[in-house]
């Protein structure tokens, strides 16, 4: 394959040492092309979040190799000096829990990353509002996170994960608190992002409504990822 998208080879992650060690990943191989949205499924405790955290440089893998775009980021050790810059510039995270900043309003929660990247505040806010509109939460743009419903908070967190147009998006149960119409809207936006910006996207999900939308699915079992052909019905 070409040097684009996401490549994972023989990825292992062990938590702890000795008798109590947990072998969460035992040699995971995955390839996600630019512009592709793949589903990641598997039982609770199978290692889905662990895999996303390794790829997102949130935790240290034990062994293996990870390539993002044409950059080898891990080869039995980190190959990137500045992991914070890697996380900020290359990876969009959408987590299970929204983790919004409580003292910033909705717009600034989304605009913060582009502002930190040096984009003028008014442009950053305009980008934020564009995504908030696409996610149908623009009417809450000036509200504080504590004033939002769980589903609204999640949509704001999704906007924040997408706003910098990262080449890789890692989404852990992004649609869990949403009704089916809004869950589909989120999947549609992720697919649009992937197509428009050549983003490689991994979506961890248990959501029966969205699983049929994927063309390709990785199923984690016993610490190994098995590739499956999805129904790929799309998202209309
Ligand atoms: N910080 C940690 N220390 C020790 N063990 C951990 C740690 N984090 C996760 N584990 C263990 O690693 C395994 C994989 O956990 P992980 O959170 O990746 O599962 P998951 O597939 O995301 O599950 P779920 O669907 O419930 O979110 C589990 O056995 C879990 O208990
Ligand atoms: Mg998890």
């Amino acid at each position: 394959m070409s040097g684009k998208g996401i490549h994972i080879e023989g990825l292992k992650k062990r938590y702890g040492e000795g008798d109590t060690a947990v072998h969460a990943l035992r040699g995971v191989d995955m390839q996600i092309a630019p512009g592709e949205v793949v589903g990641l499924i598997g039982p609770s405790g199978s290692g889905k979040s662990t895999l996303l955290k390794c790829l997102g440089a949130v935790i240290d893998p034990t062994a293996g190799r990870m390539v993002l775009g044409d950059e080898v980021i891990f080869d039995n050790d980190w190959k990137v000096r500045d992991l914070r810059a890697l996380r900020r510039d290359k990876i969009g995270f959408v987590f299970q829990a929204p983790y919004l900043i409580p003292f910033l309003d909705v717009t600034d929660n989304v605009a913060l990353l582009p502002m930190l990247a040096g984009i003028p505040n008014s442009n950053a806010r305009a980008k934020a509002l564009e995504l908030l509109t696409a996610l149908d939460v623009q009417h809450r743009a000036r509200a504080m996170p504590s004033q939002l419903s769980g589903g609204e908070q999640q949509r704001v967190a999704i906007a924040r994960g997408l706003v910098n147009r990262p080449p890789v998006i890692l989404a852990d149960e992004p649609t869990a608190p949403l009704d089916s119409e809004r869950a589909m809207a989120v999947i549609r936006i992720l697919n649009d992002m992937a197509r428009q910006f050549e983003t490689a996207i991994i979506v961890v999900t248990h959501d029966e409504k969205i699983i049929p939308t994927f063309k390709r699915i990785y199923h984690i079992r016993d610490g190994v990822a098995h590739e499956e052909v999805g129904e790929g019905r799309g998202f209309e």
Side-chain angles (χ1 to χ4, degrees):
M1 275 187 90
S2 76
K4 290 221 169 115
I6 304 171
H7 297 257
I8 304 172
E9 287 167 33
L11 191 71
K12 296 184 182 172
K13 173 62 184 177
R14 184 191 66 232
Y15 291 106
E17 300 284 341
D19 291 350
T20 57
V22 176
H23 295 268
L25 304 177
R26 294 171 180 270
V28 167
D29 299 314
M30 284 173 71
Q31 271 94 37
I32 297 107
E36 194 182 20
V37 183
V38 303
L40 180 60
I41 63 173
S44 179
S46 58
K48 304 180 298 296
S49 296
T50 299
L51 176 59
L52 291 200
K53 287 177 194 165
C54 287
L55 252 184
V58 178
I59 60 174
D60 301 324
T62 309
R65 187 176 148 89
M66 301 191 290
V67 185
L68 293 189
D70 43 23
E71 191 177 11
V72 177
I73 63 163
F74 188 91
D75 195 356
N76 289 319
D77 202 352
W78 291 107
K79 298 296 169 194
V80 182
R81 240 178 296 131
D82 190 347
L83 290 177
R84 281 180 62 194
L86 174 78
R87 283 193 291 265
R88 186 190 60 216
D89 300 335
K90 289 227 169 159
I91 300 163
F93 293 100
V94 181
F95 289 116
Q96 222 156 346
Y99 299 118
L100 298 174
I101 298 171
F103 51 85
L104 293 181
D105 72 14
V106 161
T107 306
D108 283 354
N109 260 279
V110 178
L112 183 64
L113 270 178
M115 285 176 185
L116 289 176
I119 291 174
N121 289 3
S122 57
N123 293 11
R125 291 203 175 102
K127 277 159 87 90
L129 210 55
E130 192 186 310
L131 273 172
L132 291 169
T133 303
L135 287 155
D136 193 25
V137 71
Q138 72 285 0
H139 56 294
R140 306 299 277 140
R142 307 273 22 141
M144 301 305 280
S146 62
Q147 299 170 317
L148 305 181
S149 73
E152 287 170 341
Q153 289 182 24
Q154 185 64 356
R155 281 179 283 151
V156 174
I158 290 164
R160 182 188 51 191
L162 307 187
V163 72
N164 262 353
R165 311 283 189 237
V168 169
I169 292 173
L170 306 175
D172 200 344
E173 299 273 0
T175 62
L178 305 178
D179 61 36
S180 58
E181 199 176 317
R182 295 206 159 107
M184 282 302 176
V186 165
I187 294 302
R188 187 175 305 123
I189 285 164
L190 291 175
N191 276 274
D192 287 349
M193 283 280 299
R195 227 189 350 253
Q196 223 182 318
F197 300 106
E198 296 269 277
T199 317
I201 304 182
I202 303 179
V203 182
V204 170
T205 190
H206 292 111
D207 192 334
E208 296 296 334
K209 299 180 294 291
I210 69 170
I211 289 173
T213 69
F214 298 113
K215 291 197 182 74
R216 229 154 50 82
I217 293 171
Y218 285 96
H219 193 152
I220 298 205
R221 251 178 280 127
D222 304 323
V224 176
H226 303 267
E227 187 181 341
E228 295 172 3
V229 178
E231 294 176 38
R233 279 200 227 133
F235 38 88
E236 294 311 330

